[in-house]
Amino acid sequence: MSNEPFVRLQHVSKTFPGVKALDDISFDINTGEVLGLVGENGAGKSTLIKILSGVYSPDPGSNIIINGKQVMNITPKNSLDMGIVVIYQDLSLFPNLTVRENISLSKHIEKNRKTVNWKNIDIVARNVLDQLGVQIDLGVKLGSLSVAKQQLVAIARALVYDAKLIIMDEPTSSLSKGEIDVLFKIIRQLRNRGIGVVFVSHKLEELFIVCDRITVLRDGKHVGTFPVSEVNTEKLISLMVGRSVSFERMAGDKFGEEILRVENISLAGNYENISFSLRKGEILGITGLVGAGRTEMVQALFGLNRPSSGSIYLEGKKISPKNPQEAKEMGIAYIPESRQTEGLILRQNVARNITLPIIREFAKKVKLLDFKELFAVARTWISNLDVRPNYPDMLVSKLSGGNQQKVVLAKWLATKPKVLIIDEPTNGIDVGAKREIHQLLRGLANEGMGIIMVSSELPEILAISDRILVMRQGRIAAEFDGNEATQESIMNYAVPKGKAAGGVI
Amino acid sequence: METLKSNIQNNKQLYMLVIIFLALFILMSILSPSKFLTSNNISSMMFQMSELGVLAIGMSIVILTGGINLALSHSSMLAAIIGTLVMQAMVSAGMNPLLTILAGIIVIIAVSLILGAINGFFIAYVGVLPILVTLGTRSVFEGIGLNITKGSALSGYPPEFNFIGNGVFLGIPFPFLIYVAVIIVSTLLIQRTAWGMSVYMIGGNVKATELSGINTKKVLMGVYIICGILCGIAGVIMASRYSSARTDYGSSYVMQAVTAAVLGGTDINGGEGTIIGTVIGVAILQVISSGLNILGVNRNFVDIIIGAILIAVLTIRFFSNINER
Amino acid sequence: MNVIKRFYRYKESTVATIIVLLVIGLTILNRTFLTFDNWASFLKSNSVLGIAALGTLLVILTGNIDISSSGQIALVTVVIAKFMLAFGGNPFIVFIVGLATGALMGVVNGLLVAKLKIPSIIATLATNTIINGALRWYTNGAWISGLPDEFTRVGDIMFFASSEVENGTINGVPIQILFMVIAAVITFFVLRYTMFGRGIYALGGNADSAQRIGFNNDRLTVMAFTYAGLMYGLAGVVYTTIMKTVDSNAFIGFEMNVIGAVVLGGVSISGGSGSVFGTMLGMLLLSIIKNGLVLTRISTYWQSIVIGIIILFAVSLDIINIKREEKRTIKVDIVKEEV
């Protein structure tokens, strides 16, 4: 191992319109080290990865030195040529091709071959898997493998590229304990061969098992890079969550009777044994790591999946919505996480989006729509929620993220729901607009609505939740009073217990 | 400012279409004043335009949801063939001609509605791609029609049936009046009802529409049923105009209907378009085909031109989209 | 038990089973079904379908669709017929002309889809209309006959024929079947042993990843349509060797059969999965159904009904399976520990 770091980042910044995603980042990635990269959602991890892989170019003034040479312009192609390979969460593999092709095909392309040498494809794949000490049937279609094995195939493919640095984005998110052990063994092996690994994970305990050093990002800034011996989970959590952005707490005080009760609902592969209740005027925050089953669980309330056991009561009456339409008619509203692909019809105007769920209410004489009233209602909501610009016939695609979210909110408030479920309410919205959304939600709760807010952003959860449920691996791991919870206490329950995961070293 | 832009842009496209229509109309009139600009020719254009127009509106509604209906003309004709059988039987039983015609029309519309529902079932409830479903049903409808007709044309209507496709009422071709009625009703349905709004929304984003508590499957089913009914209306007109029904009547209308819809501003991927745009698209195609016909251009050459227009329009849109970005 | 499970992992297995059942059933109904002559005869007439299906297979593997096969084949038959009447019937040159005509049409389709981003269904619908219009305009619907002997003789060549030809029976493998087999073998090799072939699978399986690992998706698309055109060219020539006259209207609606054969062969319409073997099985199934209808004296008008229903059934089953699998996927890894 040489002493020269493989990658040196010096004053790297990246600005998107309205957001500074990376702010003056400087640290090194050494040759052949395993570097953990942690930070909350939006801390800048994925932006950093995309800069290294050449998808984004950094702001002027940023300086990146790879293998001792200053690289002015990283493209996806030369990033690969320099040996930087990213394994994204979706793995970018071909489910319809065999394992051997998934591993070796890129080598054929690199060499600009016109024909396929199956012997070579097989040997290359076999060699790489042998090096990894992994046994996978080379002839089966990738799609029939477990995610863990697909992960290993993706690593094998990276090695075929002569990788010097492999960046793994949440590689363990869908692996079982045993599979994680195998992955760690392989990561150590790579390190021994001088191949560096950047390991991005939410599961902090894992980092201590496999990493040499850990880099913490927060709000686009580099908080620090520490040898694992110098930090522990508690320290990391406090470094990650000590965010500069925190919101003044807006707690509710007057709660009415219970409006929603969930008893022991389960659905295999989605969530297990969930029970909770919600009162009028209350904001129930549900948090946990990505993949903890939060979204799947709240979707059951909106008829998007049907629990195989357990029951749901709305105002004391047992309900089991079959589809969103039924849920809507019962008085349940659900605002999905992905505003642009699931919440809005981007090519339509604001008025049509707002009035879509209640469109039938405007059917008047001989079922024809009263557009005057439709626009009047849309205008009312636009001014109630202060959507800007305030034109009902503006295309929603032209609005900012915050205003788009207000349109989605308006569209569901127009249905006068009893229970409002909102998934990641401020995802990708700037700080000022976030605050506005929080105020709106609190205002709605004060008017007597029951609100369930799913969020990964702890400051948000802490700011407006009256009660907080923490989910972990499909179950409720803890419940907190909103006035008593802290980021650290929540994190302690959200992170899967790592001891079981990686006792073997 | 920004707000008005989208509206103006939509209208701009419509104005452009009207201008193209007028320009072509004037051009043809200048090229052949003695033949094109005669009341005879204009009336014959109105006759011809009607059946294509009704089908094109059906196709537009389907395309608005991002679908397509390749079984369009075969639905019309299968319904017409079955209606013809009923009318034949009633004629030979010596029943009242008006009653016979009424029964025939009801049967044609009812059958085409069922055919539309079959398409709708596979597309909305099973979830098969519209192109595959309608490719399959086209084959089935055609086969059933062939079984009944043995490949020839069926006829034998009461003489009064002739009026629907060939009659003139208050100086206006009767099928054109039907077409106008279809235009008005479908415009109201698509652009002025709650159901019509959800059709646009489904074309824009099915998932988001479903998550807004709209029963998208039911709406899609309705779209194919309405397309079926329009096929039935076109089937009545065609059967009357040609005094017979045969499986392959109108088979070139599928392509022309797609072209008229796309020419009229309907987005082939769904979510955007107007009935009136399609109507102008149909009128443009009619002026082109009648005009070329009068100029002595072979009828088959017109098909070539219509195909070329479709590709040209999509090419122009592709490049103008690039420029916008 | 395990063997059976393994067997049905392949999509082709279902078609194969149906074929075997049909063969048994038809043999019981009519002894002439399972004879060499019958098979040689119906495979000969369906060789055009088989060759065309190989072309459409490549397009569908990329995730596109091609409904212009009928127009392209018809165009090729007219072009080579007119060519032969003008320049004579050297079979070799006729083949080249036919293949080149098809390939040219394929390039046009490919460019419309890949470069102008016109959805493949619309692009090929448009080119099909243009071609058919042009053919009717040019031929006026008239048949073209009087093709040179030098060419038409090719169509009667038999392989493996025994020396005695008994009273009018075929007795040998018609050259058209051989053409189909050769086309299938070549297509198999193209898909299996060229980077173009593997690229098509990669593109159909995951277009973004294909681009990411360095395939040129646009070029692959154009090449797939071009290869399809080549096959339609061959199909057109082979058709002419069978019929010895050319009717430009003969292929109206034929694209339905072609797509049907491909889809029945277990090729996924969304791209990326399917094989030459499956496509040939799909062709065989359609041919047997058509032949069976003839042998059991059911009106040929039933053909399109049966084919349409089988296609609707096959694609529905495919979708239902996909939905069922989607439901079964595990989204959250629930650990069995209690908190």
Side-chain angles (χ1 to χ4, degrees):
Chain A
M1 267 186 243
S2 67
N3 294 325
E4 182 72 17
F6 182 63
V7 176
R8 299 200 90 138
L9 300 166
Q10 294 174 336
H11 310 293
V12 174
S13 298
K14 176 69 187 170
T15 315
F16 292 111
V19 193
K20 191 136 200 176
L22 286 182
D23 191 358
D24 197 20
I25 300 271
S26 301
F27 67 89
D28 295 344
I29 304 171
N30 292 327
T31 308
E33 79 167 332
V34 181
L35 181 74
L37 184 60
V38 297
E40 284 193 274
N41 291 348
K45 292 170 297 184
S46 55
T47 309
L48 186 63
I49 295 174
K50 284 184 174 156
I51 284 179
L52 283 174
S53 64
V55 177
Y56 294 156
S57 44
D59 291 348
S62 308
N63 195 10
I64 299 175
I65 297 163
I66 298 175
N67 225 350
K69 277 194 293 269
Q70 184 174 0
V71 186
M72 298 309 288
N73 182 14
I74 307 182
T75 64
K77 176 97 179 65
N78 70 20
S79 161
L80 267 183
D81 291 344
M82 290 182 291
I84 298 175
V85 183
V86 182
I87 300 175
Y88 292 100
Q89 245 176 310
D90 70 2
L91 301 182
S92 300
L93 296 170
F94 303 95
N96 58 327
L97 297 182
T98 56
V99 171
R100 61 169 76 87
E101 273 186 279
N102 268 290
I103 295 174
S104 315
L105 208 53
S106 45
K107 194 80 188 168
H108 265 55
I109 299 172
E110 211 178 50
K111 288 189 181 160
N112 221 352
R113 295 185 65 121
K114 297 289 175 228
T115 56
V116 184
N117 180 341
W118 282 99
K119 217 176 213 166
N120 178 275
I121 292 253
D122 191 71
I123 290 170
V124 169
R126 198 175 293 278
N127 279 345
V128 176
L129 286 185
D130 280 351
Q131 281 171 31
L132 288 174
V134 179
Q135 282 188 337
I136 299 176
D137 186 350
L138 288 172
V140 301
K141 294 233 164 82
L142 182 98
S144 66
L145 296 181
S146 68
V147 182
K149 289 197 169 154
Q150 295 191 19
Q151 182 88 254
L152 296 177
V153 172
I155 294 174
R157 184 171 79 178
L159 292 182
V160 169
Y161 275 117
D162 290 325
K164 301 277 184 308
L165 177 68
I166 301 178
I167 302 174
M168 298 184 194
D169 192 4
E170 294 283 351
T172 60
S173 59
S174 30
L175 303 191
S176 72
K177 276 174 244 157
E179 292 164 343
I180 292 174
D181 288 342
V182 174
L183 179 70
F184 287 174
K185 224 172 82 191
I186 283 166
I187 289 177
R188 276 182 219 111
Q189 231 187 76
L190 295 173
R191 174 177 58 192
N192 294 341
R193 289 167 51 187
I195 297 169
V197 174
V198 171
F199 188 88
V200 181
S201 180
H202 274 112
K203 304 183 186 171
L204 300 182
E205 300 284 351
E206 289 174 4
L207 300 174
F208 293 98
I209 299 167
V210 77
C211 296
D212 301 313
R213 295 192 301 156
I214 297 173
T215 294
V216 183
L217 297 183
R218 187 175 70 210
D219 298 329
K221 292 197 181 68
H222 180 226
V223 178
T225 297
F226 313 92
V228 279
S229 53
E230 289 175 16
V231 280
N232 55 28
T233 314
E234 287 69 37
K235 174 101 186 285
L236 274 188
I237 289 175
S238 71
L239 289 169
M240 280 163 62
V241 297
R243 295 186 71 168
S244 50
V245 203
S246 73
F247 301 107
E248 190 192 330
R249 183 158 163 77
M250 291 186 286
D253 39 19
K254 286 196 296 288
F255 303 127
E257 70 261 37
E258 176 185 273
I259 187 162
L260 182 80
R261 191 166 82 249
V262 173
E263 284 180 0
N264 290 322
I265 58 169
S266 299
L267 179 62
N270 288 270
Y271 45 83
E272 182 81 21
N273 218 0
I274 304 287
S275 302
F276 63 87
S277 75
L278 176 71
R279 286 168 292 174
K280 282 187 176 176
E282 186 180 37
I283 298 182
L284 177 66
I286 298 183
T287 189
L289 300 178
V290 175
R294 303 167 306 180
T295 298
E296 289 76 8
M297 189 271 281
V298 293
Q299 282 186 344
L301 306 176
F302 195 61
L304 286 168
N305 64 54
R306 304 194 75 184
S308 51
S309 62
S311 23
I312 303 167
Y313 299 88
L314 183 69
E315 292 179 317
K317 277 198 301 270
K318 188 169 173 176
I319 58 165
S320 58
K322 278 200 297 291
N323 53 42
Q325 196 190 2
E326 276 190 21
K328 178 177 79 178
E329 277 153 18
M330 291 166 185
I332 298 172
Y334 170 65
I335 299 181
E337 173 180 359
S338 167
R339 194 160 47 237
Q340 303 222 341
T341 60
E342 299 188 335
L344 293 167
I345 288 115
L346 289 174
R347 296 158 68 190
Q348 293 288 352
N349 63 31
V350 173
R352 284 187 174 189
N353 269 285
I354 290 180
T355 54
L356 178 58
I358 53 162
I359 188 75
R360 276 160 198 272
E361 289 176 18
F362 303 102
K364 293 290 147 73
K365 269 175 266 163
V366 284
K367 293 267 185 182
L368 290 190
L369 291 176
D370 183 344
F371 277 102
K372 238 187 212 155
E373 198 190 318
L374 188 150
F375 270 86
V377 168
R379 271 204 196 89
T380 312
W381 284 110
I382 287 171
S383 75
N384 279 356
L385 301 193
D386 195 21
V387 177
R388 287 181 208 182
N390 59 353
Y391 307 123
D393 55 354
M394 177 137 173
L395 292 181
V396 267
S397 56
K398 309 232 156 148
L399 297 178
S400 70
N403 283 297
Q404 284 184 351
Q405 187 67 322
K406 286 184 190 172
V407 172
V408 189
L409 210 57
K411 135 180 170 180
W412 280 107
L413 295 183
T415 67
K416 306 201 170 57
K418 297 167 189 157
V419 174
L420 174 69
I421 304 163
I422 184 163
D423 199 347
E424 299 291 357
T426 63
N427 198 359
I429 295 178
D430 66 71
V431 177
K434 278 183 187 190
R435 200 58 191 152
E436 246 181 297
I437 301 273
H438 295 160
Q439 274 155 357
L440 272 170
L441 292 177
R442 178 46 73 196
L444 291 168
N446 287 343
E447 285 164 25
M449 201 180 284
I451 297 179
I452 296 175
M453 178 179 77
V454 175
S455 177
S456 307
E457 295 201 30
L458 294 181
E460 174 167 285
I461 286 280
L462 291 170
I464 59 170
S465 307
D466 298 309
R467 256 179 326 126
I468 299 166
L469 298 180
V470 183
M471 282 188 74
R472 179 179 69 210
Q473 293 173 319
R475 298 166 192 270
I476 293 180
E479 179 176 340
F480 290 98
D481 185 310
N483 293 318
E484 289 161 10
T486 63
Q487 298 205 14
E488 286 79 2
S489 59
I490 291 175
M491 266 305 213
N492 273 329
Y493 282 96
V495 176
K497 292 302 164 215
K499 279 165 204 129
V504 231
I505 297 191
Chain B
M1 249 180 20
E2 190 79 292
T3 153
L4 293 173
K5 222 170 166 184
S6 67
N7 263 335
I8 291 172
Q9 236 154 22
N10 270 339
N11 288 333
K12 216 162 63 185
Q13 213 171 18
L14 273 187
Y15 293 143
M16 274 302 292
L17 281 172
V18 174
I19 290 168
I20 291 173
F21 170 73
L22 290 176
L24 281 168
F25 196 89
I26 293 166
L27 180 77
M28 293 299 179
S29 307
I30 294 169
L31 286 175
S32 178
S34 59
K35 284 182 188 157
F36 186 83
L37 201 59
T38 59
S39 61
N40 220 340
N41 179 51
I42 289 174
S43 134
S44 100
M45 289 201 325
M46 285 160 95
F47 273 113
Q48 287 169 25
M49 201 192 303
S50 309
E51 45 195 65
L52 170 60
V54 172
L55 287 175
I57 288 173
M59 185 67 99
S60 302
I61 297 176
V62 167
I63 296 179
L64 275 180
T65 64
I68 195 158
N69 186 353
L70 298 180
L72 203 65
S73 69
H74 285 111
S75 310
S76 285
M77 276 303 122
L78 177 55
I81 286 166
I82 293 174
T84 307
L85 287 182
V86 171
M87 284 193 269
Q88 276 178 344
M90 288 176 79
V91 167
S92 59
M95 290 173 89
N96 178 311
L98 285 181
L99 193 68
T100 305
I101 291 169
L102 191 67
I105 292 173
I106 290 173
V107 168
I108 293 175
I109 308 265
V111 169
S112 61
L113 184 151
I114 293 168
L115 300 184
I118 293 173
N119 283 330
F121 169 76
F122 282 103
I123 292 164
Y125 289 96
V126 184
V128 184
L129 289 179
I131 172 177
L132 286 179
V133 171
T134 56
L135 214 51
T137 53
R138 181 177 85 174
S139 180
V140 175
F141 298 167
E142 183 186 19
I144 298 173
L146 283 173
N147 253 316
I148 297 171
T149 63
K150 304 299 168 207
S152 57
L154 285 191
S155 54
Y157 307 112
E160 292 84 349
F161 186 60
N162 196 31
F163 180 80
I164 297 173
N166 301 297
V168 174
F169 185 74
L170 300 173
I172 298 168
F174 191 70
F176 193 77
L177 291 175
I178 301 177
Y179 178 35
V180 170
V182 167
I183 295 172
I184 293 171
V185 172
S186 54
T187 304
L188 289 176
L189 192 65
I190 285 293
Q191 272 144 266
R192 294 293 305 276
T193 68
W195 181 82
M197 285 299 126
S198 32
V199 169
Y200 278 97
M201 296 297 181
I202 286 177
N205 184 340
V206 194
K207 184 81 193 165
T209 309
E210 195 195 339
L211 286 179
S212 300
I214 305 288
N215 190 336
T216 51
K217 289 178 180 161
K218 210 165 119 193
V219 175
L220 264 183
M221 184 70 170
V223 163
Y224 284 90
I225 285 178
I226 283 177
C227 183
I229 292 172
L230 292 175
C231 286
I233 294 173
V236 172
I237 299 175
M238 281 194 271
S240 165
R241 235 162 71 76
Y242 309 133
S243 298
S244 61
R246 212 179 113 154
T247 44
D248 59 353
Y249 283 170
S251 49
S252 64
Y253 284 149
V254 176
M255 179 63 195
Q256 295 185 22
V258 175
T259 310
V262 171
L263 188 62
T266 310
D267 186 332
I268 196 73
N269 299 312
E272 258 170 63
T274 55
I275 300 293
I276 196 70
T278 302
V279 169
I280 300 172
V282 168
I284 291 175
L285 292 187
Q286 188 60 50
V287 170
I288 291 173
S289 66
S290 297
L292 292 176
N293 207 8
I294 282 171
L295 292 175
V297 175
N298 184 301
R299 168 84 207 110
N300 290 311
F301 196 72
V302 177
D303 274 0
I304 306 176
I305 289 181
I306 286 172
I309 290 174
L310 178 56
I311 291 180
V313 170
L314 288 170
T315 307
I316 292 167
R317 291 221 179 114
F318 173 73
F319 283 112
S320 64
N321 278 346
I322 285 183
N323 283 345
E324 261 176 43
R325 269 183 242 135
Chain C
M1 199 52 214
N2 229 335
V3 179
I4 295 174
K5 250 189 190 165
R6 263 240 210 81
F7 178 65
Y8 281 101
R9 260 217 317 251
Y10 298 97
K11 270 183 163 179
E12 290 86 356
S13 316
T14 324
V15 201
T17 314
I18 297 173
I19 289 176
V20 170
L21 292 177
L22 269 177
V23 167
I24 295 171
L26 285 169
T27 311
I28 294 170
L29 284 174
N30 190 330
R31 286 298 151 90
T32 51
F33 174 72
L34 200 62
T35 57
F36 180 80
D37 281 6
N38 186 43
W39 280 62
S41 142
F42 82 69
L43 283 179
K44 174 181 173 181
S45 49
N46 282 299
S47 55
V48 179
L49 172 64
I51 295 168
L54 291 168
T56 299
L57 165 68
L58 262 73
V59 173
I60 292 184
L61 282 177
T62 64
N64 286 297
I65 193 142
D66 188 352
I67 53 180
S68 69
S69 56
S70 55
Q72 293 193 47
I73 298 172
L75 176 74
V76 169
T77 61
V78 171
V79 167
I80 59 169
K82 288 288 176 185
F83 178 86
M84 281 189 274
L85 293 180
F87 302 105
N90 180 328
F92 183 72
I93 296 176
V94 173
F95 267 93
I96 302 287
V97 172
L99 293 184
T101 309
L104 188 69
M105 289 292 95
V107 171
V108 172
N109 275 336
L111 290 175
L112 290 175
V113 174
K115 295 295 174 191
L116 296 179
K117 307 291 173 215
I118 299 177
S120 54
I121 171 169
I122 301 298
T124 55
L125 191 62
T127 51
N128 203 38
T129 307
I130 294 176
I131 294 171
N132 280 324
L135 288 178
R136 255 175 291 148
W137 173 55
Y138 183 64
T139 65
N140 260 321
W143 291 34
I144 306 169
S145 52
L147 302 181
D149 274 354
E150 191 186 354
F151 176 78
T152 55
R153 263 202 319 261
V154 175
D156 300 327
I157 297 174
M158 297 276 180
F159 288 86
F160 316 116
S162 66
S163 49
E164 307 158 47
V165 175
E166 293 158 41
N167 44 0
T169 53
I170 290 181
N171 199 355
V173 179
I175 189 172
Q176 290 83 2
I177 297 180
L178 207 69
F179 275 126
M180 176 169 70
V181 171
I182 292 170
V185 170
I186 291 175
T187 308
F188 173 80
F189 272 90
V190 165
L191 284 178
R192 176 104 188 126
Y193 290 103
T194 68
M195 286 305 280
F196 161 57
R198 300 326 288 170
I200 283 180
Y201 279 102
L203 168 62
N206 188 341
D208 291 339
S209 301
Q211 193 90 46
R212 217 177 274 167
I213 70 168
F215 281 115
N216 183 338
N217 287 357
D218 283 359
R219 198 163 68 198
L220 286 172
T221 306
V222 175
M223 283 171 76
F225 275 100
T226 310
Y227 188 88
L230 272 174
M231 285 295 137
Y232 305 149
L234 180 61
V237 178
V238 168
Y239 173 81
T240 314
T241 66
I242 299 173
M243 301 310 287
K244 301 180 171 52
T245 53
V246 164
D247 167 15
S248 65
N249 282 321
F251 288 96
I252 289 175
F254 187 65
E255 74 277 5
M256 181 66 217
N257 284 266
V258 177
I259 295 171
V262 178
V263 173
L264 284 183
V267 179
S268 158
I269 199 76
S270 47
S273 127
S275 67
V276 169
F277 181 61
T279 305
M280 288 292 104
L281 285 180
M283 179 277 303
L284 191 60
L285 178 57
L286 282 192
S287 315
I288 291 176
I289 291 170
K290 283 197 263 180
N291 185 248
L293 289 174
V294 174
L295 290 180
T296 49
R297 292 178 206 290
I298 294 171
S299 152
T300 46
Y301 294 131
W302 275 93
Q303 261 188 30
S304 38
I305 302 180
V306 173
I307 292 173
I309 288 176
I310 287 184
I311 286 167
L312 284 173
F313 182 72
V315 291
S316 301
L317 209 69
D318 200 23
I319 293 285
I320 290 167
N321 277 334
I322 290 172
K323 279 189 182 166
R324 202 181 293 154
E325 249 170 57
E326 226 164 63
K327 235 186 184 166
R328 260 197 247 132
T329 49
I330 291 170
K331 291 175 193 128
V332 177
D333 184 31
I334 299 170
V335 177
K336 288 229 158 50
E337 39 114 29
E338 249 319 308
V339 182

